[in-house]
Amino acid sequence: PSPSPSPSPTPSPSPLPPGTHLVPASCAGASPHDGALARYTDFVATLTTLELYVDGSRTARVVHSAGGAAGGVGKEEAAAAAAALAHRFALELSNANAGVRDASRAGLRELSQLLGRSVCSLLMEHREAAVLPLLTGSLRLLPLVTQVATCEALTYCILEQPSGASPAPRLVPLDAPLLALLDQALALAEAPDDGPRDPREQAAAAPGGGSLANEPASLRGRMLGRHVRGVPLPVRQRVVAIELLAAALSYDALKGPPHLALRHRMIGCFFKSLTVRHEEVVAVARDALAAVISQSKLQKELLQSSLRPILLNLADYRKLSVPLLQGLSRLLSLLSNFFNLTLGEKLLEHLRRWTDPEALAKAKTFRPGDDVKIPCAILSLFHLLPPAPDKFLTELVSVSLSLEAVLPGSTALGRHWSPHREALVPYLNRHAKETVSHLLDRITLPADAATKERREDVAKAFRYLLSLVRYKHAAEVRDELARQWQPLLQRTLEAARSTTERQVAAQLRYQGVALVHGLCKLKPDWLPSCPDVLQALVQIWSSQERLAAEEQAAMPLEQVREFKVIAKCFVSCLRHQAKALGDEIGDGHIELLFLMLSIFSHHTLVAYDFLKLFYLEEVATGYSVAQRVACLRYFLRFFQSSRTAREDRVQALQLIALPMLCASFAKGEGEAVLSKEVIATIVHRLLGGDMLASYDEALRIELLRLATLLIEHVPEQLVDHRKELIKFSWNHLKSEDTQSKQCAYVNVCRFIQVYDTPPKIILQVYVALLRTFQPDARALVKRALDILTPALPSRLPAGDHKYPTWIKWTKKIVVEEGHSLPQLIHIWQLVVRHPALFYSSSAQFVPQMVNSLNRIGLSPNCSTDNRRLAIDLAQLIISWEMQRIEAASLPTTRPASTGPA
């Protein structure tokens, strides 16, 4: 049916007969660019209605878009509706709007599924009206958007035809009109992209604007389209022309003598399009050429004639361009067997010219940036050539290093990375075995050839190999180096031990360590599987003397970081083993864990914060109970060994034992980790025994922290060891070292809190802490008092006395030694932190508090902390008074003497 005039909107449209709504009223009389959305919406609605028609078990109703309804429809009306819908879809295949064309194809696909027929059979019924008119007329005379639409429609129709020889007539026969149109499409595909070729656009761009200049800007820009499907319209024109040519190659008749010349021209067009600058054209040409090659073998004469323009440009380095080389890359990916090694030799010859920037500058034929882009494009071709590593590998590595040397910022030792190296990675991956062997040979540095130039060459080769190992896309090279770990050891770590020259040995050693670390970083399972490599690293760590900071300042930064790199290798190995082995970790794992502790005992210019975080976060909290038990048992043996340095014992306590115990107690796993045997060993061998006299102050402090931690969390298991514990801590109360002494006080206070202790000892400790107000011991004294003070009411009760003994001593020190402001501040801070404990005896302290406010907080030069304390004291006095008033108002009150004065 033909479109009817668009009706004016009415409040209640009258019902229409079946099938009338299949031609949208909104599309009647509209231009090809209007009503695209309305068409698509009506198409979808009509497909839904047609689905009801086809289903014979259901009664269908045709609903008008404005709300009207019609009665039931029979099969004859359904067939008529399907035919009308197919006719509309066929006509819209060549619509100027890309969205309408897409909707038409989708509609034909859905319609064919509903009717159980092919798209080709649907289109054959409307071939005279919708398909054959596309073959008439000249394609070049049409506007660009119409050219694109026509080519897309014909391509779709050709692809929907059944393949192979078929007796049925073809939807698009290969006759004179199609051949003429293919010839025109071939001219469009081969034409240079030199601006718009649309007559209407040229008229609009001319002075006066032509007829198109009077149209709305949205129509000129969006509908006529400088862009179609996201690409410029001239580019889209070339794309659809190539797609039409590729679809036409499915005709078997094109392979015959009458049309063979046209077929060769079409294939040559595909070859030529591989070198254009537009990726969309290149992509469709590559796909078309790949389809041709997969269907039949190309003749040698055809290949030679198609490749001759490209190969002629390759003969002269001044004619090279990035699109040309990219096109050659695509050709090599499709026809690698057609090319021989001569092409590689020619490319190498061109590469050497780029190592001389002055000669290139004199040529004046290249654009800015081509001095990097063109060599990279050449290097990226070699992995597509026939394999010949012996012929090209050495030259390519040398040329790439020479190209890097002329880049800005390059040094005599080479670069860590470059775009030339990235372009060569596919070739190096393809020949990974030869690449690794070649680079390992180049980093070998004999003692008799250790000249400056030779060391620089070795450094360049080392950085080259190291960059490949670290590069995520060089997996083949990295895997091959992992397999060749024995040559790696021989040429680096073992060679360093055999040479007598210190500088050469340091360079070789660092090279081996850095390469191992590069493998560990991306292959964490490799080092645990190579015990020989791990043992070589352990020997370096154990045998090499720690260098002083003065000596490190004169060394290269890379070699200064040698032990840090080894530590990272160890950490990677330990992480993998902890996950892989689980609870079955052996002594080797734990030995490595304790071996790294020695790095913290020496001064160095390198920070090892990552290692401390590994101990404190991953080892202490991440290890399982069984792993922690194994580590603690090894720690006891490590601590008691006579070969263990005192500094290492301190680090073992700080970074392994104490953090592990704290994490275990926080998780409620203390009893599972600490057995009676372990506790007995700690008490009798670490806190006592013959080794006690050899401890220095740092070790004593850590042992006091250990004892305090055990008393706090596992007091029941230490009941039988109370005598040894109090003896160990009491002896340290007389230490001359302030920190050791205050740690002992913290330990004793924790002991008093947990176990029954003679009142004389408790009072002695309390008074000593009250009189210790020196700034250097403030933190530990505060912690000790906060532990001891809450336990005093139960440990030193008042008994028959009005006030407890500890209250009397507190007031006595305030009265007798209150002239010392630091002493007074120290005691008032204790009272402020524990107001409830001193409330019953507040009358003993309020007068002194009031009198001391001026001294503490109102003097001109008092600190912020003192002012804050004065405010806290005033607030405390008010709080105690309010508490007393509230208590006095209750029926049963306490004696007035116990409240504030």
Side-chain angles (χ1 to χ4, degrees):
S2 60
S4 60
S6 176
S8 60
T10 58
S12 57
S14 58
L16 299 178
T20 303
H21 80 294
L22 295 177
V23 180
S26 59
C27 300
S31 67
H33 307 294
D34 296 334
L37 183 61
R39 282 194 189 94
Y40 185 74
T41 304
D42 288 336
F43 289 162
V44 174
T46 305
L47 279 175
T48 305
T49 303
L50 183 61
E51 186 176 1
L52 297 177
Y53 286 149
V54 177
D55 188 356
S57 63
R58 301 167 64 183
T59 301
R61 297 180 65 198
V62 180
V63 182
H64 188 261
S65 59
V73 178
K75 293 185 177 180
E76 292 77 9
E77 288 95 348
L85 187 59
H87 181 75
R88 170 57 60 184
F89 285 154
L91 291 177
E92 299 296 345
L93 284 176
S94 58
N95 191 284
N97 189 283
V100 175
R101 297 197 297 271
D102 292 340
S104 300
R105 294 170 191 158
L108 285 171
R109 183 172 59 253
E110 294 292 334
L111 187 60
S112 67
Q113 293 177 358
L114 290 173
L115 299 178
R117 298 173 57 188
S118 65
V119 174
C120 183
S121 64
L122 292 176
L123 292 176
M124 283 295 295
E125 298 177 359
H126 312 283
R127 177 168 170 264
E128 299 293 335
V131 179
L132 294 184
L134 300 177
L135 302 174
T136 61
S138 176
L139 190 62
R140 289 187 174 184
L141 298 180
L142 300 175
L144 278 181
V145 288
T146 308
Q147 294 180 28
V148 172
T150 302
C151 291
E152 284 191 9
L154 287 175
T155 302
Y156 178 75
C157 294
I158 293 174
L159 293 178
E160 291 297 333
Q161 296 179 141
S163 59
S166 176
R170 282 187 171 270
L171 180 62
V172 184
L174 185 64
D175 50 10
L178 179 59
L179 292 173
L181 191 138
L182 291 177
D183 190 71
Q184 297 177 45
L186 185 60
L188 293 177
E190 292 179 337
D193 188 10
D194 54 356
R197 292 179 294 276
D198 190 337
R200 300 182 67 194
E201 290 188 9
Q202 292 175 357
S211 61
L212 187 61
N214 298 324
E215 298 187 16
S218 60
L219 181 62
R220 295 197 309 268
R222 180 171 61 86
M223 293 298 183
L224 288 183
R226 302 305 190 272
H227 289 72
V228 175
R229 302 189 190 278
V231 298
L233 187 55
V235 177
R236 183 61 190 171
Q237 179 197 40
R238 298 188 68 175
V239 170
V240 297
I242 295 174
E243 288 177 345
L244 177 59
L245 297 176
L249 287 176
S250 61
Y251 288 98
D252 293 335
L254 281 178
K255 301 177 182 179
H259 311 299
L260 192 59
L262 177 61
R263 173 183 169 86
H264 288 177
R265 287 178 56 200
M266 294 163 64
I267 296 175
C269 175
F270 299 157
F271 279 100
K272 182 179 179 180
S273 299
L274 291 177
T275 60
V276 300
R277 294 183 179 274
H278 302 291
E279 289 295 331
E280 297 80 10
V281 178
V282 170
V284 69
R286 181 179 61 246
D287 294 340
L289 193 57
V292 172
I293 295 174
S294 64
Q295 292 173 4
S296 61
K297 184 178 180 181
L298 298 181
Q299 299 178 1
K300 186 175 181 180
E301 295 77 8
L302 174 61
L303 284 175
Q304 290 177 347
S305 61
S306 301
L307 294 175
R308 187 174 293 111
I310 299 176
L311 297 179
L312 287 177
N313 288 329
L314 286 176
D316 189 356
Y317 80 98
R318 290 169 293 186
K319 296 182 180 180
L320 295 180
S321 64
V322 175
L324 175 66
L325 294 170
Q326 290 177 345
L328 180 59
S329 173
R330 301 177 188 107
L331 282 176
L332 287 172
S333 62
L334 297 173
L335 303 167
S336 60
N337 296 329
F338 181 78
F339 296 90
N340 53 30
L341 299 180
T342 307
L343 177 61
E345 296 173 356
K346 191 65 178 179
L347 294 175
L348 265 177
E349 180 182 344
H350 292 334
L351 274 176
R352 295 189 186 97
R353 294 184 179 273
W354 261 267
T355 59
D356 187 3
E358 297 180 358
L360 292 177
K362 293 179 181 178
K364 298 181 180 181
T365 58
F366 300 103
R367 299 179 180 181
D370 283 350
D371 56 336
V372 175
K373 294 179 181 179
I374 291 180
C376 290
I378 296 176
L379 288 170
S380 64
L381 297 175
F382 281 89
H383 74 284
L384 301 173
L385 293 174
D390 296 336
K391 190 174 185 62
F392 296 128
L393 177 61
T394 303
E395 289 292 332
L396 284 175
V397 173
S398 300
V399 170
S400 63
L401 287 174
S402 301
L403 290 171
E404 293 173 3
V406 300
L407 291 178
S410 298
T411 64
L413 299 180
R415 300 176 64 93
H416 291 285
W417 192 246
S418 72
H420 305 99
R421 207 173 299 179
E422 183 177 3
L424 194 57
V425 163
Y427 177 83
L428 300 178
N429 277 334
R430 185 179 183 185
H431 307 291
K433 184 176 180 180
E434 294 81 2
T435 300
V436 171
S437 300
H438 171 69
L439 293 175
L440 284 179
D441 291 338
R442 290 191 62 168
I443 66 174
T444 303
L445 188 60
D448 55 351
T451 60
K452 180 180 179 181
E453 293 76 10
R454 175 59 174 155
R455 284 196 296 269
E456 291 178 355
D457 292 341
V458 169
K460 291 179 181 179
F462 159 68
R463 287 189 176 185
Y464 202 100
L465 180 57
L466 181 61
S467 65
L468 294 177
V469 172
R470 292 176 174 175
Y471 189 49
K472 61 180 180 179
H473 297 304
E476 290 81 358
V477 175
R478 187 165 48 251
D479 295 341
E480 182 61 32
L481 181 62
R483 286 189 290 268
Q484 296 190 30
W485 60 268
Q486 290 179 337
L488 173 62
L489 278 183
Q490 294 172 0
R491 289 169 171 78
T492 55
L493 303 182
E494 294 181 2
R497 290 196 297 266
S498 61
T499 184
T500 57
E501 188 174 348
R502 183 175 180 179
Q503 186 176 0
V504 174
Q507 182 178 350
L508 290 173
R509 185 171 58 247
Y510 175 74
Q511 291 173 359
V513 169
L515 290 173
V516 171
H517 174 250
L519 291 174
C520 292
K521 195 171 183 179
L522 295 176
K523 295 176 65 68
D525 59 334
W526 172 74
L527 186 57
S529 64
C530 296
D532 292 343
V533 179
L534 181 60
Q535 185 60 31
L537 295 180
V538 170
Q539 290 178 1
I540 296 175
W541 186 275
S542 303
S543 62
Q544 178 69 14
E545 297 179 358
R546 299 294 187 267
L547 300 175
E550 296 79 7
E551 296 179 358
Q552 293 183 7
M555 295 179 60
L557 180 60
E558 292 180 341
Q559 296 179 17
V560 173
R561 296 177 60 251
E562 178 181 337
F563 287 101
K564 182 177 182 179
V565 175
I566 295 178
K568 288 185 176 181
C569 295
F570 289 160
V571 169
S572 174
C573 179
L574 292 172
R575 282 175 181 158
H576 181 268
Q577 287 182 342
K579 294 179 181 179
L581 300 179
D583 296 342
E584 302 298 328
I585 58 172
D587 289 343
H589 175 93
I590 304 176
E591 287 177 5
L592 189 59
L593 195 65
F594 281 80
L595 179 66
M596 293 187 292
L597 294 171
S598 59
I599 198 64
F600 298 105
S601 304
H602 303 272
H603 297 289
T604 178
L605 300 178
V606 180
Y608 287 89
D609 296 338
F610 75 95
L611 191 54
K612 286 187 177 180
L613 291 177
F614 171 71
Y615 280 120
L616 298 178
E617 296 180 0
E618 299 186 38
V619 176
T621 62
Y623 276 27
S624 64
V625 174
Q627 291 173 336
R628 274 176 273 161
V629 169
C631 289
L632 288 176
R633 292 183 180 276
Y634 184 86
F635 161 74
L636 296 178
R637 299 195 301 270
F638 178 81
F639 192 95
Q640 299 176 61
S641 175
S642 59
R643 295 178 297 177
T644 304
R646 287 178 296 181
E647 295 83 0
D648 294 347
R649 292 171 181 165
V650 174
Q651 300 299 336
L653 280 166
Q654 288 181 346
L655 300 176
I656 297 180
L658 291 175
M660 274 189 176
L661 290 176
C662 290
S664 300
F665 294 141
K667 297 178 180 180
E669 300 169 350
E671 295 184 358
V673 172
L674 288 172
S675 62
K676 293 183 178 180
E677 179 185 356
V678 172
I679 291 178
T681 304
I682 292 175
V683 173
H684 294 291
R685 304 301 298 273
L686 274 62
L687 305 182
D690 300 335
M691 299 176 60
L692 188 60
S694 62
Y695 294 165
D696 57 0
E697 293 300 329
L699 186 55
R700 292 174 185 271
I701 291 171
E702 299 303 325
L703 289 174
L704 285 168
R705 290 179 57 200
L706 174 61
T708 304
L709 188 66
L710 295 178
I711 294 172
E712 178 182 1
H713 293 283
V714 286
E716 297 84 1
Q717 301 182 37
L718 296 174
V719 172
D720 297 336
H721 307 288
R722 287 176 296 175
K723 181 178 179 181
E724 291 82 0
L725 292 173
I726 194 62
K727 180 179 178 181
F728 176 75
S729 57
W730 196 264
N731 291 334
H732 289 85
L733 293 178
K734 304 174 184 179
S735 175
E736 296 180 357
D737 184 78
T738 302
Q739 189 173 5
S740 177
K741 182 177 181 179
Q742 303 312 321
C743 286
Y745 271 114
V746 174
N747 183 277
V748 172
C749 291
R750 186 67 72 182
F751 186 92
I752 294 173
Q753 181 193 37
V754 174
Y755 302 115
D756 292 334
T757 309
K760 183 178 179 181
I761 294 178
I762 298 175
L763 188 61
Q764 182 180 352
V765 172
Y766 178 69
V767 172
L769 289 173
L770 287 180
R771 288 175 172 165
T772 306
F773 55 85
Q774 291 76 13
D776 55 346
R778 183 179 303 169
L780 290 173
V781 171
K782 176 184 175 182
R783 182 183 174 192
L785 283 172
D786 289 342
I787 294 172
L788 179 60
T789 305
L792 291 178
S794 59
R795 299 299 182 192
L796 295 176
D800 298 336
H801 301 281
K802 186 176 182 180
Y803 299 107
T805 309
W806 59 279
I807 292 290
K808 295 178 181 179
W809 275 97
T810 305
K811 181 178 180 181
K812 180 180 180 181
I813 296 175
V814 170
V815 173
E816 295 179 356
E817 303 180 19
H819 60 276
S820 174
L821 186 60
Q823 174 70 77
L824 194 63
I825 291 174
H826 175 58
I827 294 179
W828 290 150
Q829 286 176 342
L830 173 65
V831 175
V832 168
R833 291 199 305 271
H834 304 279
L837 299 177
F838 291 92
Y839 169 72
S840 60
S841 307
S842 57
Q844 303 294 315
F845 301 101
V846 171
Q848 284 78 13
M849 287 183 180
V850 174
N851 294 333
S852 61
L853 287 178
N854 290 336
R855 297 174 57 194
I856 295 176
L858 298 180
S859 60
N861 57 348
C862 66
S863 63
T864 305
D865 293 338
N866 290 356
R867 294 180 187 272
R868 186 181 294 110
L869 177 61
I871 295 173
D872 292 340
L873 286 173
Q875 183 180 359
L876 178 61
I877 294 171
I878 296 172
S879 175
W880 277 349
E881 181 61 20
M882 293 178 64
Q883 189 175 354
R884 185 193 67 80
I885 295 173
E886 182 180 357
S889 64
L890 297 177
T892 304
T893 60
R894 299 178 62 181
S897 60
T898 61

